[in-house]
Amino acid sequence: MELTNDNVLFELRGVSKWFGSVEVLRDLDLNIERGHTTVVIGPSGCGKTVLLKHLIMLIHPNRGTIHFDGRRIDNLSEKKLALVRRRFGFLFQAGALFDSQSVADNVGFALNQHTQFDERKIKRIVREKLKMVGLEHLEDRFPSELSGGQRKRVALARAIALGPEVVFYDEPTTGLDPIRADTINELIIKLQRELKTAPGQTDQQTKAVTSIVVTHDMNSAYKIADRIVMLSQGHIIADGNAEQIRASKDEQVQRFIQGRSEGLQDE
């Protein structure tokens, strides 16, 4: 079944996921619009990362359906899913850089693996992406020679190397001091504005990139989000822009965004 709303990039319908007797997502309905930054917040164990893995199809739902760009994807073969995932970029929480490879080789890894570009073109794209994250001068360094913030930026350059339509961020500011965390926030905003066309693709890809961010960092959420979705016990309990989330009358939402522990359910 195909969807017809061009503004909706992802649609989850009645998605439930359980592991043994533990139900993590419960009949979740969620639309994610293309070209916007959607931030997912909530207490530890509420299902944020599980939701992210469903969108990338690293996990399949026990019940419900998932559509991407008008097409159902939860029933696709791994071969067909691989083609869908080519349209995604992913920033892992810990960066997940290859320690034995230089910065340039880390950023160029997917280009070498998934394109037929020659070495000259790959080097050009690598430099372009490193310049976007302010690290073009560190091409020959190795991850062990970088600060935590620099490693995170290299990982981000790698995530955008293929010119993805969707970039997923898993706790992008975790482990960083406030200044370096804000640098990452600024980069997310910058990339949202500047990432428009994948290497070698046509003008049909000129729409702004779609960003999906999982975070505990409310400063980050307020700064980067077009929309904030809060999960609790596998359900969406709040959905709106930063001002709407701040003004929520839900006591559980207020406890979370204010960092008050009393009564907050942590699954």
Side-chain angles (χ1 to χ4, degrees), residues 186-201:
E186 291 289 348
L187 280 173
I188 293 172
I189 294 169
K190 175 185 177 183
L191 296 178
Q192 179 73 19
R193 182 174 63 247
E194 295 182 3
L195 278 179
K196 293 184 181 296
T197 305
Q201 293 186 344

Side-chain angles (χ1 to χ4, degrees), residues 71-192:
R71 180 187 186 188
R72 184 175 176 182
I73 60 172
D74 60 278
N75 60 353
L76 296 181
S77 67
E78 278 300 313
K79 184 177 180 179
K80 290 181 178 179
L81 279 175
L83 296 176
V84 173
R85 294 188 189 111
R86 284 277 303 274
R87 299 165 69 179
F88 302 161
F90 197 101
L91 177 64
F92 296 92
Q93 181 174 335
L97 298 178
F98 301 114
D99 292 336
S100 61
Q101 294 188 2
S102 69
V103 165
D105 288 340
N106 266 282
V107 176
F109 181 80
L111 295 165
N112 280 299
Q113 293 291 314
H114 300 298
T115 74
Q116 299 298 317
F117 298 158
D118 59 33
E119 183 178 354
R120 187 174 181 177
K121 185 169 184 177
I122 289 175
K123 285 183 176 180
R124 178 179 60 78
I125 294 171
V126 167
R127 291 192 188 102
E128 172 189 311
K129 302 310 179 186
L130 284 171
K131 185 176 182 179
M132 292 185 78
V133 301
L135 294 178
E136 65 272 21
H137 58 294
L138 297 182
E139 287 185 27
D140 297 326
R141 297 273 186 93
F142 285 82
S144 61
E145 301 175 288
L146 305 177
S147 68
Q150 288 172 334
R151 287 195 294 272
K152 192 82 78 168
R153 284 190 280 164
V154 172
L156 181 50
R158 184 179 64 183
I160 63 175
L162 284 173
E165 297 169 53
V166 187
V167 181
F168 296 91
Y169 300 85
D170 185 13
E171 299 287 358
T173 60
T174 292
L176 301 179
D177 64 57
I179 294 175
R180 288 176 174 81
D182 196 54
T183 298
I184 297 299
N185 293 333
E186 291 289 348
L187 280 173
I188 293 172
I189 294 169
K190 175 185 177 183
L191 296 178
Q192 179 73 19

